[in-house]
Amino acid sequence: MSAISASEKVDGFTRKSMRKAQKQRKSQGSSQYRTQSAPVELSPLPQLKDAPSTEQQELFTQKLQQCCMLFDFLDSVTDLKSKEIKRATLNELVDYVSTNRGVLVETAYPEITDMICTNIFRTLPPSENPDFDPEEDEPTLEASWPHIQLVYEFLLRFLENPDFQPSIAKRYIDQKFVLQLLELFDSEDPRERDFLKTILHRIYGKFLGLRAFIRKQINNIFLRFIYETEHFNGVAELLEILGSIINGFALPLKAEHKQFLMKVLIPLHTAKALSLFHAQLAYCVVQFLEKDPTLTEPVIRGLLKFWPKTCSQKEVMFLGEIEEILDVIEPTQFKKIQEPLFKQISKCVANPHFQVAERALYFWNNEYILSLIEENIDKILPIMFGSLYRISKEHWNPTIVALVYNVLKTLMEMNCTLFDELTSSYKADRQREKKKEQERDELWKQLEELRLSNPTLVQNNCHGLPSVQNNNNNNSNNNNNNSNNNNDHQDKSVDAAAVATDDDDPDVSVAANESTPCAK
Amino acid sequence: MAGADGDDSLYPIAVLIDELRNEDVQLRLNSIKKLSTIALALGVERTRTELLPFLTDTIYDEDEVLLALAEQLGNFTMLVGGPEYVHCLLPPLESLATVEETVVRDKAVESLRKISQEHSPVDLEVHFEPLVKRLASGDWFTSRTSACGLFSVCYPRVSSTVKAEIRQHFRTLCSDDTPMVRRAAASKLGEFAKVLELDYVKSDIISLFTALASDEQDSVRLLAVEACVSIATLLPQEDLETLVMPTLRQAAEDKSWRVRYMVADKFSELQKAVGPEITKNDLVPAFQNLLKDCEAEVRAAAANKVKEFCENLPEDSREQIIMTHILPCVKELVSDTNQHVKSALASVIMGLSTILGKDNTIEHLLPLFLAQLKDECPEVRLNIISNLDCVNEVIGIRQLSQSLLPAIVELAEDAKWRVRLAIIEYMPLLAGQLGVEFFDEKLNTLCMAWLIDHVYAIREAATCNLMKLVEKFGAEWAQNTIVPKVLGMANDPNYLHRMTTLFCINALSEACGQDITTKQMLPVVLKMSNDQVANVRFNVAKSLQKIGPVLDSNALQTEVKPVLEKLATDTDMDVKYFAQEAISGKHFCLPLEVIERSVQVGGRVFFLPTRQNLLCLLNAKRDCSVQSFDKEIMWLSYPNSIYQTTLPFCTVLCCNTDCIGLIKELPRPVVMGTSSVVKVLLIIIPPPNPR
């Protein structure tokens, strides 16, 4: 610690890039291995392909059992030989189930699932980096990946084997199995999530009895993510699966599916890490709307409700999604939501963040949207006009101003007379708004006075105490009232003030009195 | 409601509701936050008949607005006409309790819990309990989770048939098929158990507890651990073994680290709840396992509890258990691979010395302390150093000081300024422990070196450190060791160092007293008014203002005033500004009679204004607040007082002359202990004339 440069001493915070460079080693974690007893050393079994066909099944079982042995991968020096034997065996097993026919006899199913469960189902380790930012930070990789990867591979080949029989497998690949599988989607390791995605998709396809259960559990995961933890690494992967599931929904849509859209998918937009799964989410939403256009109105209203207030990056994503929706919207549906929607768009257009404004103004480059606007120009123009007119003069960014001029021109061409009317009434409208503003202030001021003349009530209210009922008549002469229903605390201060003045200087007692409400 | 009737035209509900409906969310939010004002304008009757129905029916809004609404309604009892009408508030709160957004729902539940207390027992059964039932059997999970928080508030105050229904509902929710609801139920299990009759705790709660503790989701299981504490407290000792321990044992070895973490985190509470016998037989081995857990998170949580756990062990076998069972694990943790584990341990390990006594500490703990003092992670070393006082009491710090010094020096020169800052903050403590000779010999140079650190925060902290040291070692020590060095820096070529001199003087003048300040510091400050750097000059003006109160009035008039007047004509506008500020500051313009007398209490100077001035003060500043500490004494806190230019915060202490003695005995008030210059005005009020 001796060689510390002066600059380093000044700036204790090394730059993030530097810290990253220092952290060259890939961080790895694993919670799978818990020392119960020292692993027995594995001894290699003969190759399956060399065994006579009568003994193959027996040997297959033995190998599966051998693969149930778990190793500590955080310790990279122990059990090297056994680890290698297990790896080779797993490879052989993968090969065996993918190339051979007739190997999946009924008795093999429990052994196979047992091996899989032992290897992959585990409590995920705590994240090494508590404020892991999936966009910035390198994920912690699963340490035992050399084995786990092969087990996933094996599971996939097992499910895809032409001899695979869901009717037998469903005894083992049951709700509990699926539940554990779903929890693994929280893995920080993207390789693992990728495997899980394919596997869950296969299971959803092959086990009709599990479908509703899988959907419900995904529901729960999302709800926990939205409302409780705000942390789950596999949202994008799950949404990707859902995208194709939604695609296959029968019409008319069941209430359950609509509820999923409104109560889960729409609130998912509020997530902090929206950017990580927005593409998949928007895809799901659009899939729903293509299935059932009547959902357009509630969906758009939902998005408007959750419209980002402070995060411009998210606002741009929302605008992107709105455009995707408008691309497939039916004109009748458009009429239903045009007013609230364009009120929001008019706010976005006037956004001081130029990317937001720009993204909103790009809507006018979309032929279909343009035709929708033209059809409803008498409704939309009055909404848009104010902010467009204002920012055409005020926006700091020249590109935005140029875009706005184009948009104004387009709108003018759509309805010239209305445009002229709006231009001439612009000033008067502004003034009317200002006046309204003043009236509101006035109203609140009066209300505030009323409140102030009721200090006891305000005070009681602040403390939520059930208290005397006489607070309605206190409009006048507050000073007296104030000292009347005081509690001990205030009495003392009043007394003290009286002491202070002994000749009863009224000013002082008032001063002390008025100060009492803030005493607590 | 005479006033409100007359104002009908002024506040028609339509206008107010219009405000609540405003398109702009912010305005809506403002209106909702002033909902009580609206209700006040409407009067209780119209609030009940018009406002509440409106709120119940038409509110579909931004969560932020709903949150404000949920909060407001909890304080609405008086505004709807008092406890007999409080049930009017239930419908809007019920719908808020079903909202998706957790914060809104939680706030609605909080408000419901609050107003439940204002219901009469009859109203509780007629209005409140049915609401809980409706929520508990709602379709969507949100209403059911809200219901979980409401059972315990109504259970104690309803009839036994209704009680049975409530228990049944709770049971159902504990086995709900949505994990969110089970989590809510599990988190309220302990609270609910507390209001149940003991028989039902045994018959109902235990089975629910067992079921939740073996839930398939670890997020549910870990909440059951929390409930375990309350349940174990409720049960008689003889039932614990059969009813609670099997589940607790299982939780301590759960396959999910989150559950084990929770056990470790709650270990002290659990230990107290189950009592000494079970602790000896069960918790000791469980604790050992947690200290050796394969997840660092769990080990760190357990390491944090080492001291508390050992302290609470039964006295008869405490030492033996620690020596044979706990200490071996602790030794391993000292060289743990994870720095969080080590630093968690370092923050408590010193506490063991008081428990184990001198001999054991020297033989067993000392090597561990020394090892941790050499740890590569600065946080570990800091944690050890910050807890030195425990060891000092037992073995005296000399044993450690040889190893301590290199550790302190290394931390003092750490590349990270936050580490340096942390060690500075421990300096006064260390100085107190190590004594003045050791300090002068080894640490004084460090303290002075910090004054010329590259980072301002370090220099600032170093200044403050000096002040604390002077308070500890006295003015004479300061005069011999610190003051010459500080004043020497006034000639440093670097203007930042020259300014540090001024900052030090600001901090030290008071602790050093009038003599040193006038004779030694003042000349240096005055000389620096000719500095060529403007920053130094205006800091001279600031310093003069700060040390003014310590100087005698003669020096003020003959020496300080001319310099300030000269600075007030400086070419630099900042210098001018601060010089004028100082001149117009209190010490030069206060009418003489204000400072009638001054007394020193606890080494600080207090001005005693005349009674007349007190009255002026009170008249001028009506927004002062009063805090009553004692019968005879009250404190008036004056933020932004007339002295605000010099005093960031000024406390006026009023008292009866009789209790002057009392004031001297008062502990240093908090406001006086801060490092910024805080003055306390002591106002003496003569006792009322006996008439």
Side-chain angles (χ1 to χ4, degrees):
Chain A
M1 225 172 269
S2 50
I4 297 158
S5 68
S7 70
E8 232 179 306
K9 257 197 161 168
V10 176
D11 182 14
F13 304 97
T14 36
R15 245 149 249 102
K16 206 165 186 180
S17 54
M18 273 166 68
R19 264 187 290 143
K20 276 199 178 142
Q22 283 168 2
K23 221 169 95 185
Q24 273 300 332
R25 64 172 190 102
K26 287 245 166 82
S27 59
Q28 295 198 320
S30 176
S31 190
Q32 178 176 35
Y33 182 78
R34 292 194 69 194
T35 22
Q36 246 89 41
S37 55
V40 187
E41 197 166 300
L42 295 185
S43 47
L45 294 166
Q47 292 269 305
L48 276 164
K49 62 174 193 287
D50 299 337
S53 55
T54 45
E55 289 165 28
Q56 255 184 1
Q57 204 55 47
E58 174 61 26
L59 189 59
F60 181 50
T61 313
Q62 275 178 16
K63 291 201 172 219
L64 284 170
Q65 279 161 359
Q66 201 172 42
C67 288
C68 287
M69 182 69 74
L70 301 179
F71 297 95
D72 182 4
F73 271 84
L74 288 177
D75 184 346
S76 54
V77 287
T78 56
D79 306 316
L80 282 180
K81 197 168 144 241
S82 297
K83 281 178 188 166
E84 175 52 29
I85 290 170
K86 178 169 169 182
R87 200 191 58 79
T89 313
L90 280 169
N91 260 328
E92 200 191 349
L93 289 175
V94 170
D95 203 44
Y96 186 66
V97 287
S98 43
T99 50
N100 295 355
R101 295 293 306 262
V103 295
L104 295 184
V105 295
E106 193 167 341
T107 49
Y109 281 76
E111 301 285 350
I112 290 173
T113 42
D114 200 33
M115 190 278 280
I116 292 166
C117 292
T118 322
N119 276 285
I120 63 170
F121 293 151
R122 63 206 194 277
T123 310
L124 294 168
S127 178
E128 260 190 28
N129 176 357
D131 10 72
F132 174 66
D133 175 359
E135 278 180 287
E136 281 271 321
D137 301 327
E138 285 286 318
T140 309
L141 298 178
E142 172 57 48
S144 52
W145 190 243
H147 285 172
I148 288 200
Q149 174 183 23
L150 293 169
V151 178
Y152 277 125
E153 187 78 48
F154 177 76
L155 171 56
L156 198 58
R157 297 297 164 85
F158 168 59
L159 292 168
E160 285 172 349
N161 188 301
D163 296 332
F164 179 78
Q165 294 202 20
S167 55
I168 301 171
K170 75 178 178 198
R171 262 174 271 160
Y172 312 104
I173 299 184
D174 53 2
Q175 296 194 346
K176 188 158 180 253
F177 185 95
V178 169
L179 202 61
Q180 288 174 289
L181 201 68
L182 281 168
E183 280 186 11
L184 291 174
F185 274 84
D186 194 22
S187 170
E188 248 179 61
D189 193 332
R191 302 168 301 182
E192 179 163 21
R193 294 202 305 271
D194 207 51
F195 259 115
L196 287 164
K197 185 177 71 187
T198 324
I199 288 166
L200 185 67
H201 204 183
R202 294 285 176 281
I203 294 179
Y204 191 88
K206 288 190 194 281
F207 296 85
L208 302 184
L210 285 173
R211 287 185 177 183
F213 180 79
I214 292 176
R215 288 197 307 268
K216 197 166 112 199
Q217 293 310 321
I218 293 181
N219 240 325
N220 287 341
I221 288 176
F222 284 168
L223 289 170
R224 183 178 64 181
F225 170 73
I226 302 167
Y227 296 116
E228 290 182 8
T229 58
E230 281 195 59
H231 176 91
F232 192 83
N233 291 313
V235 177
E237 282 80 5
L238 290 176
L239 282 169
E240 210 171 304
I241 300 171
L242 282 167
S244 75
I245 292 179
I246 295 165
N247 213 343
F249 282 161
L251 286 173
L253 288 176
K254 285 196 223 158
E256 173 213 329
H257 300 327
K258 289 186 189 171
Q259 191 185 46
F260 174 68
L261 170 68
M262 294 314 299
K263 297 231 177 192
V264 180
L265 288 187
I266 299 296
L268 258 184
H269 286 84
T270 59
K272 207 162 48 190
L274 178 66
S275 60
L276 294 175
F277 54 82
H278 182 253
Q280 290 85 344
L281 181 58
Y283 177 80
C284 287
V285 170
V286 173
Q287 286 292 305
F288 262 112
L289 299 188
E290 287 204 274
K291 287 257 164 196
D292 183 354
T294 62
L295 290 168
T296 314
E297 187 186 352
V299 163
I300 290 189
R301 283 190 188 279
L303 288 177
L304 292 176
K305 182 181 168 191
F306 293 130
W307 202 271
K309 305 266 182 314
T310 52
C311 182
S312 307
Q313 190 203 4
K314 269 173 81 173
E315 216 169 342
V316 172
M317 288 187 254
F318 269 59
L319 285 165
E321 186 167 347
I322 291 286
E323 180 160 6
E324 279 182 56
I325 293 173
L326 289 178
D327 269 332
V328 299
I329 202 168
E330 288 182 359
T332 47
Q333 296 299 323
F334 182 80
K335 280 194 173 41
K336 287 187 195 162
I337 46 86
Q338 58 186 0
E339 279 181 45
L341 178 61
F342 275 84
K343 272 180 191 157
Q344 182 58 56
I345 293 176
S346 107
K347 276 187 212 156
C348 293
V349 163
N351 196 304
H353 195 304
F354 81 97
Q355 283 177 343
V356 177
E358 186 182 56
R359 186 68 191 83
L361 289 165
Y362 279 165
F363 282 14
W364 273 264
N365 294 347
N366 183 315
E367 286 298 323
Y368 182 62
I369 297 178
L370 222 48
S371 72
L372 291 169
I373 294 176
E374 182 154 23
E375 239 170 81
N376 303 285
I377 186 70
D378 46 334
K379 285 272 180 338
I380 292 173
L381 188 52
I383 299 172
M384 293 299 299
F385 184 80
S387 30
L388 286 175
Y389 189 81
R390 187 165 53 80
I391 53 167
S392 70
K393 297 189 163 34
E394 280 175 14
H395 206 282
W396 62 273
N397 184 304
T399 323
I400 297 300
V401 175
L403 280 170
V404 167
Y405 272 116
N406 282 335
V407 168
L408 277 173
K409 196 163 141 259
T410 323
L411 292 173
M412 189 172 73
E413 281 160 7
M414 286 176 183
N415 188 340
C416 196
T417 33
L418 179 60
F419 193 91
D420 289 344
E421 269 170 41
L422 288 167
T423 320
S424 53
S425 67
Y426 178 78
K427 256 204 184 121
D429 284 347
R430 282 300 86 82
Q431 248 146 25
R432 208 174 312 131
E433 270 172 37
K434 254 190 201 142
K435 197 160 163 245
K436 230 176 149 187
E437 193 84 357
Q438 273 174 354
E439 281 171 3
R440 165 176 309 111
D441 285 349
E442 207 53 35
L443 172 73
W444 279 109
K445 224 178 266 166
Q446 284 168 342
L447 286 175
E448 208 46 49
E449 274 162 23
L450 183 73
R451 181 191 174 87
L452 284 178
S453 64
N454 259 296
T456 40
L457 199 143
V458 174
Q459 203 176 347
N460 289 336
N461 197 30
C462 289
H463 299 282
L465 297 168
S467 171
V468 277
Q469 287 257 301
N470 67 351
N471 47 30
N472 297 330
N473 316 323
N474 289 353
N475 289 357
S476 62
N477 209 354
N478 50 32
N479 292 339
N480 287 341
N481 271 334
N482 209 356
S483 46
N484 278 345
N485 54 3
N486 269 324
N487 50 29
D488 287 358
H489 201 91
Q490 289 163 325
D491 279 341
K492 261 180 231 151
S493 57
V494 173
D495 281 348
V499 169
T501 56
D502 65 43
D503 278 331
D504 204 22
D505 183 334
D507 266 335
V508 179
S509 75
V510 169
N513 243 334
E514 283 185 357
S515 64
T516 44
C518 15
K520 280 163 264 171
Chain B
M1 282 310 295
D5 284 344
D7 293 331
D8 246 6
S9 54
L10 200 60
Y11 315 114
I13 184 143
V15 178
L16 299 176
I17 283 181
D18 227 36
E19 282 295 281
L20 293 174
R21 276 197 185 123
N22 198 300
E23 252 179 52
D24 188 329
V25 186
Q26 194 51 50
L27 290 175
R28 240 165 28 229
L29 194 58
N30 292 345
S31 318
I32 281 283
K33 283 187 176 157
K34 292 178 187 153
L35 199 61
S36 59
T37 311
I38 294 180
L40 192 62
L42 291 173
V44 288
E45 178 132 11
R46 295 185 67 194
T47 300
R48 287 200 298 270
T49 53
E50 294 175 54
L51 183 61
L52 286 178
F54 163 75
L55 293 175
T56 316
D57 293 342
T58 54
I59 290 281
Y60 160 83
D61 208 327
E62 302 266 342
D63 292 325
E64 217 180 330
V65 177
L66 298 184
L67 174 68
L69 178 61
E71 187 170 9
Q72 290 273 315
L73 290 178
N75 298 324
F76 242 55
T77 311
M78 294 317 298
L79 293 164
V80 292
E84 55 187 306
Y85 295 104
V86 67
H87 59 84
C88 298
L89 297 173
L90 296 179
L93 282 173
E94 179 174 353
S95 48
L96 289 169
T98 62
V99 161
E100 263 90 5
E101 179 51 52
T102 326
V103 283
V104 177
R105 223 177 329 128
D106 287 350
K107 194 50 93 179
V109 170
E110 195 187 312
S111 289
L112 279 169
R113 286 169 71 113
K114 207 165 169 184
I115 64 168
S116 75
Q117 303 305 326
E118 285 156 8
H119 281 70
S120 66
V122 179
D123 279 350
L124 205 61
E125 276 192 32
V126 178
H127 299 286
F128 199 87
E129 203 270 339
L131 168 143
V132 179
K133 271 196 249 173
R134 279 195 301 277
L135 288 175
S137 42
D139 282 338
W140 188 239
F141 79 96
T142 52
S143 73
R144 301 200 300 275
T145 48
S146 293
C148 292
L150 296 173
F151 293 121
S152 65
V153 290
C154 51
Y155 189 85
R157 296 172 63 209
V158 292
S159 66
S160 57
T161 40
V162 181
K163 280 185 175 176
E165 280 174 37
I166 292 180
R167 287 196 303 273
Q168 180 52 44
H169 277 294
F170 193 79
R171 230 184 340 256
T172 318
L173 294 183
C174 283
S175 51
D176 199 280
D177 75 3
T178 322
M180 280 77 79
V181 179
R182 292 202 303 278
R183 275 196 287 276
S187 68
K188 300 292 176 194
L189 185 65
E191 179 190 293
F192 189 55
K194 280 184 190 156
V195 299
L196 243 59
E197 297 80 357
L198 185 60
D199 283 344
Y200 292 120
V201 174
K202 287 189 199 168
S203 60
D204 285 28
I205 296 289
I206 294 297
S207 62
L208 297 176
F209 167 62
T210 319
L212 290 169
S214 44
D215 196 275
E216 62 197 5
Q217 302 236 341
D218 59 359
S219 52
V220 180
R221 293 201 299 275
L222 65 90
L223 290 167
V225 175
E226 263 188 299
C228 185
V229 177
S230 335
I231 294 173
T233 327
L234 294 170
L235 291 174
Q237 189 71 32
E238 63 269 22
D239 290 329
L240 286 176
E241 180 54 45
T242 48
L243 298 180
V244 175
M245 286 318 289
T247 314
L248 182 56
R249 271 182 218 121
Q250 178 195 321
E253 292 180 352
D254 198 281
K255 67 182 191 314
S256 163
W257 63 270
R258 290 186 189 86
V259 180
R260 300 197 305 275
Y261 172 87
M262 200 62 163
V263 175
D265 196 46
K266 298 269 167 239
F267 216 84
S268 307
E269 287 95 325
L270 287 167
Q271 185 187 7
K272 281 179 200 144
V274 298
E277 274 314 302
I278 296 181
T279 299
K280 260 192 262 180
N281 302 333
D282 274 286
L283 294 195
V284 172
F287 194 62
Q288 282 175 288
N289 284 337
L290 292 171
L291 288 173
K292 289 187 230 156
D293 199 276
C294 62
E295 280 309 337
E297 257 77 359
V298 181
R299 288 199 304 278
N304 250 324
K305 303 284 166 189
V306 163
K307 182 192 156 209
E308 250 180 289
F309 180 75
C310 293
E311 256 173 3
N312 295 329
L313 283 170
E315 200 131 345
D316 54 341
S317 48
R318 184 192 289 160
E319 190 171 328
Q320 180 258 330
I321 292 177
I322 298 177
M323 297 308 291
T324 51
H325 299 290
I326 306 297
L327 208 56
C329 303
V330 169
K331 279 182 184 157
E332 273 176 48
L333 290 183
V334 167
S335 48
D336 200 276
T337 48
N338 185 296
Q339 68 170 52
H340 298 292
V341 177
K342 285 187 293 188
S343 93
L345 183 70
S347 65
V348 298
I349 190 173
M350 311 290 269
L352 289 180
S353 53
T354 34
I355 304 172
L356 287 179
K358 188 170 178 181
D359 295 339
N360 279 328
T361 302
I362 293 178
E363 190 183 342
H364 299 283
L365 292 177
L366 200 55
L368 303 182
F369 300 157
L370 297 179
Q372 294 216 299
L373 271 176
K374 295 193 188 91
D375 199 277
E376 54 178 10
C377 163
E379 208 180 320
V380 176
R381 282 175 272 149
L382 265 180
N383 280 346
I384 288 288
I385 290 177
S386 62
N387 286 304
L388 278 178
D389 45 339
C390 326
V391 186
N392 191 21
E393 285 162 25
V394 183
I395 58 168
I397 214 150
R398 289 284 155 191
Q399 294 270 5
L400 274 175
S401 53
Q402 279 319 307
S403 325
L404 207 52
L405 198 63
I408 293 174
V409 172
E410 208 170 295
L411 287 170
E413 290 167 355
D414 198 279
K416 292 196 178 59
W417 67 266
R418 281 171 195 280
V419 175
R420 302 202 294 279
L421 187 63
I423 189 76
I424 292 178
E425 276 160 12
Y426 294 123
M427 264 305 145
L429 177 79
L430 283 171
Q433 308 277 334
L434 294 166
V436 67
E437 295 101 52
F438 187 88
F439 184 87
D440 280 346
E441 200 178 315
K442 318 273 186 187
L443 299 179
N444 199 14
T445 33
L446 279 180
C447 289
M448 301 315 286
W450 282 318
L451 288 175
I452 51 168
D453 199 278
H454 298 276
V455 178
Y456 176 75
I458 299 297
R459 296 198 299 273
E460 193 189 22
T463 316
C464 176
N465 173 44
L466 286 187
M467 183 181 80
K468 288 184 187 149
L469 290 174
V470 174
E471 281 174 2
K472 207 156 232 142
F473 293 150
E476 199 183 324
W477 175 80
Q479 193 172 9
N480 295 331
T481 43
I482 294 198
V483 174
K485 287 186 195 166
V486 167
L487 297 181
M489 279 165 62
N491 302 318
D492 198 287
N494 186 334
Y495 83 98
L496 290 171
H497 299 172
R498 296 202 295 279
M499 291 210 313
T500 308
T501 300
L502 291 173
F503 298 144
C504 287
I505 288 174
N506 294 348
L508 293 176
S509 63
E510 222 172 294
C512 288
Q514 198 181 57
D515 196 46
I516 299 180
T517 310
T518 318
K519 291 201 182 125
Q520 300 191 15
M521 295 178 173
L522 185 62
V524 175
V525 178
L526 295 174
K527 202 178 126 210
M528 289 170 86
S529 66
N530 299 318
D531 201 287
Q532 55 185 359
V533 179
N535 297 44
V536 177
R537 291 200 304 277
F538 73 65
N539 273 298
V540 166
K542 283 183 177 179
S543 286
L544 288 174
Q545 192 178 4
K546 286 223 175 81
I547 64 174
V550 187
L551 300 171
D552 61 54
S553 54
N554 185 31
L556 277 179
Q557 293 300 328
T558 58
E559 297 182 64
V560 177
K561 212 168 177 192
V563 169
L564 281 176
E565 276 163 3
K566 193 189 82 192
L567 287 174
T569 59
D570 200 279
T571 47
D572 186 277
M573 59 183 266
D574 289 324
V575 178
K576 241 191 234 172
Y577 172 81
F578 285 109
Q580 276 158 2
E581 180 112 309
I583 292 172
S584 62
K586 57 169 187 166
H587 312 296
F588 305 101
C589 69
L590 266 191
L592 257 180
E593 61 269 29
V594 170
I595 307 172
E596 192 178 52
R597 280 174 289 172
S598 67
V599 291
Q600 267 194 306
V601 178
R604 280 165 194 269
V605 184
F606 296 87
F607 299 106
L608 311 178
T610 57
R611 201 178 117 253
Q612 197 194 343
N613 280 301
L614 164 68
L615 300 185
C616 298
L617 273 173
L618 290 173
N619 284 339
K621 283 288 160 189
R622 292 179 175 189
D623 57 342
C624 64
S625 56
V626 179
Q627 282 169 294
S628 171
F629 274 13
D630 193 284
K631 268 199 180 144
E632 293 93 348
I633 300 175
M634 68 184 202
W635 300 74
L636 300 177
S637 309
Y638 269 84
N640 308 318
S641 74
I642 49 166
Y643 297 150
Q644 68 173 8
T645 45
T646 43
L647 310 177
F649 189 83
C650 172
T651 300
V652 180
L653 178 64
C654 296
C655 70
N656 227 300
T657 31
D658 295 343
C659 47
I660 264 284
L662 247 173
I663 298 170
K664 285 186 185 161
E665 283 158 30
L666 273 182
R668 282 276 181 87
V670 195
V671 285
M672 293 165 71
T674 56
S675 58
S676 52
V677 184
V678 173
K679 295 292 176 310
V680 173
L681 267 174
L682 181 66
I683 300 172
I684 311 263
I685 304 147
N689 293 330
R691 280 176 200 174

